[in-house]
Amino acid sequence: MNSRAIWLIIMMMTASLFGLVAIQSYWIRWSIRLNEAKFDKDVFGVLNAVKDHIEFKELLQYQLMVQGDVRKTLPPEIMDYFQSLGLDSEMGIQSMKADQALIQQMLSLKELSERINPEELDHLVREEFSNRGILLKFNTGIWSNESRSFVILNNHFAVEGISPVIVNTDVNKGLYTTPYSIRLFSINGSSPGDLRVYFTNKRSIVMSTVLPTIIGSIAFTFIILLCFGYTIYVIFRQKKLSEIKTDFINNMTHELKTPIATISLAIDSISNPIISGNEAKVKRFAEIIKQENKRMLNQVERVLQIAQVEKKEFQLNVTSINMHEVIGQVVSNNELNIEQLNGSLQTKLDAHNVNIWGDLTHITNIIYNLVDNATKYSANPPEILIETSDLPGGIEVMVHDKGIGMTRDQRHYIFDKFYRVPTGNLHDVKGFGLGLSYVKAMMEAHKGSVSVKSESGKGSTFTLYFPSGNPLDII
């Protein structure tokens, strides 16, 4: 998959994610508005019920003052209703025959505070809210249009003439600006005052019904976002692995093609009648075939070896090892090659506790691979320094070079199988990208660690830590 296709997929996935978030946000806002509308409807329903109850009870009470004695048997439902208002059957009958317009006119002459019982008002409001499932904390007030102030606050009479703007309390301010207000005792479009209700935390009941939806949306969106991020990571990771494997196949093809071509030429030469009669030349070409065949076997063996290491299908032959002797052997084997490149390979062996437990062959290969890498990835004559120092419970080995170095992104992949650091204009760096993968796997097998510090153009430092204990005993 090419980069253009990958970025197209990312853009489509990003657009889909933002679209999903936008749709969820719209429906959540719509749900909130719907709940607010339902809440407002319920509150005004309560206010209307309380208003009707107060006005009707007052009307019934004062109708009795202007009516005579009338007796009649009432249906059970009418009797129950009158009893709930504290009226007997005779009072109810008389009230039904009263002149309501006259009584209302008479009542309008009274002060608003005299027409309402604060405790009864508070009880009615709480009961109606409870019946509708509204259990929020609230405040009630009776506003007088004449005095321009509250005459009742909650279940107490208030001091008249004091405006809620002047009284600096949240209750008064909330009741003064609340949208939940209904006119009381209206006659011909005129009203002496309003019944008002103010909720200190209205948002909680509105949000409570949509909160599970909001939490669910956020949770699932977060999960989708994680999956989206992981998918992008996998896509780029797979692209990188594909490039690495393609590079490995190209390198392996080149590495195997050269000895095959050499063997083919040698066989053709031996088949030549002129050469076949010359025993010395036949022997020379046979030696070439043997060397190139060994070279191919070594290349194949390296690939098989790293596969065994990854599958942990190997056993360590653990013995006591002197790390300085191992380093000395690696230096001795590489000195001639580095001198031919006009380079230098130096050591600074400061460690005192140099004996560790490990597999001599693998530990030698670890040091050799790091020196070999430092040699191959030096644009100029290689300058390599191997240092040792004591650490608590083990020994540290550092291999410094002044080669081409690595970028931060390259350092992230160098221990991956088949990965090779790009060498720019250098095209003579051979290998399959298995050396550092092998180093990491064997350091882990010895219960040690490997790390790298590098800067592009300034060289690299590989740090190895070997514990002094037996790796087979370390958990």
Side-chain angles (χ1 to χ4, degrees), residues 3-15:
S3 299
R4 185 175 181 181
I6 292 176
W7 283 111
L8 181 61
I9 292 173
I10 292 174
M11 290 175 63
M12 292 175 63
M13 293 176 67
T14 303

Side-chain angles (χ1 to χ4, degrees), residues 183-196:
R183 303 172 72 186
L184 294 174
F185 309 115
S186 296
I187 301 177
N188 300 324
S190 176
S191 172
D194 304 330
L195 167 60
R196 300 183 182 184

Side-chain angles (χ1 to χ4, degrees), residues 230-261:
Y230 180 72
T231 302
I232 298 303
Y233 168 78
V234 169
I235 289 174
F236 279 103
R237 178 73 174 174
Q238 290 299 321
K239 182 176 181 293
K240 190 70 177 179
L241 290 175
S242 178
E243 293 173 352
I244 291 172
K245 289 181 179 180
T246 300
D247 187 44
F248 164 74
I249 292 171
N250 292 335
N251 290 331
M252 188 171 186
T253 301
H254 176 74
E255 291 289 334
L256 296 179
K257 184 178 180 180
T258 301
I260 290 173

Side-chain angles (χ1 to χ4, degrees), residues 89-335:
S89 60
E90 292 183 358
M91 296 168 62
I93 294 170
Q94 292 173 5
S95 67
M96 296 174 67
K97 294 185 177 181
D99 185 352
Q100 295 186 7
L102 179 61
I103 294 176
Q104 288 177 341
Q105 197 69 29
M106 178 189 68
L107 291 175
S108 65
L109 300 175
K110 297 180 62 177
E111 293 290 338
L112 183 59
S113 58
E114 298 176 3
R115 304 177 68 178
I116 301 174
N117 185 316
E119 293 182 357
E120 182 181 5
L121 172 66
D122 185 70
H123 174 73
L124 287 172
V125 174
R126 291 185 185 280
E127 184 178 27
E128 289 292 334
F129 277 137
S130 178
N131 292 338
R132 294 177 183 263
I134 300 176
L135 305 178
L136 291 177
K137 183 179 179 181
F138 63 90
N139 297 289
T140 56
I142 300 297
W143 172 262
S144 172
N145 290 329
E146 181 180 355
S147 63
R148 304 301 298 171
S149 65
F150 285 103
V151 294
I152 294 177
L153 288 173
N154 291 325
N155 58 346
H156 300 286
F157 287 109
V159 179
E160 294 189 17
I162 300 180
S163 171
V165 178
I166 299 174
V167 179
N168 187 20
T169 64
D170 292 336
V171 173
N172 283 354
K173 286 183 177 180
L175 286 171
Y176 186 75
T177 58
T178 181
Y180 305 116
S181 174
I182 192 168
R183 303 172 72 186
L184 294 174
F185 309 115
S186 296
I187 301 177
N188 300 324
S190 176
S191 172
D194 304 330
L195 167 60
R196 300 183 182 184
V197 177
Y198 167 65
F199 295 92
T200 56
N201 194 14
K202 166 191 170 182
R203 194 75 177 172
S204 63
I205 194 170
V206 174
M207 294 297 295
S208 63
T209 54
V210 296
L211 189 60
T213 303
I214 294 175
I215 293 175
S217 297
I218 293 174
F220 286 116
T221 301
F222 181 70
I223 292 172
I224 293 173
L225 189 61
L226 284 180
C227 294
F228 173 70
Y230 180 72
T231 302
I232 298 303
Y233 168 78
V234 169
I235 289 174
F236 279 103
R237 178 73 174 174
Q238 290 299 321
K239 182 176 181 293
K240 190 70 177 179
L241 290 175
S242 178
E243 293 173 352
I244 291 172
K245 289 181 179 180
T246 300
D247 187 44
F248 164 74
I249 292 171
N250 292 335
N251 290 331
M252 188 171 186
T253 301
H254 176 74
E255 291 289 334
L256 296 179
K257 184 178 180 180
T258 301
I260 290 173
T262 303
I263 291 172
S264 178
L265 288 174
I267 292 174
D268 289 341
S269 299
I270 292 175
S271 301
N272 191 316
I274 300 175
I275 301 298
S276 61
N278 189 327
E279 184 178 348
K281 289 186 177 181
V282 170
K283 185 177 181 180
R284 177 170 171 270
F285 285 122
E287 185 66 25
I288 291 174
I289 293 173
K290 182 179 179 181
Q291 290 177 355
E292 292 300 313
N293 184 60
K294 183 179 180 180
R295 179 180 170 186
M296 281 196 299
L297 288 175
N298 287 337
Q299 299 287 16
V300 174
E301 184 64 27
R302 290 182 65 187
V303 177
L304 295 177
Q305 185 184 53
I306 195 65
Q308 290 178 339
V309 168
E310 283 194 341
K311 294 180 180 179
K312 302 187 183 301
E313 296 177 351
F314 65 93
Q315 291 183 343
L316 296 178
N317 183 21
V318 178
T319 58
S320 179
I321 298 173
N322 185 306
M323 183 57 70
H324 285 180
E325 290 182 359
V326 172
I327 294 173
Q329 180 183 349
V330 173
V331 170
S332 177
N333 292 341
N334 284 274
E335 257 181 339

Side-chain angles (χ1 to χ4, degrees), residues 399-451:
V399 179
H400 308 273
D401 68 67
K402 296 183 180 180
I404 63 174
M406 291 172 282
T407 64
R408 181 179 179 180
D409 182 62
Q410 291 167 350
R411 291 198 304 271
H412 183 71
Y413 294 104
I414 58 170
F415 294 109
D416 290 349
K417 187 171 60 174
F418 306 134
Y419 181 77
R420 301 174 75 235
V421 175
T423 55
N425 294 325
L426 290 176
H427 301 289
D428 56 348
V429 177
K430 301 181 182 298
F432 295 154
L434 299 175
L436 293 180
S437 176
Y438 169 81
V439 168
K440 182 180 180 181
M442 295 315 305
M443 288 303 299
E444 291 175 350
H446 282 82
K447 309 303 180 185
S449 63
V450 57
S451 60

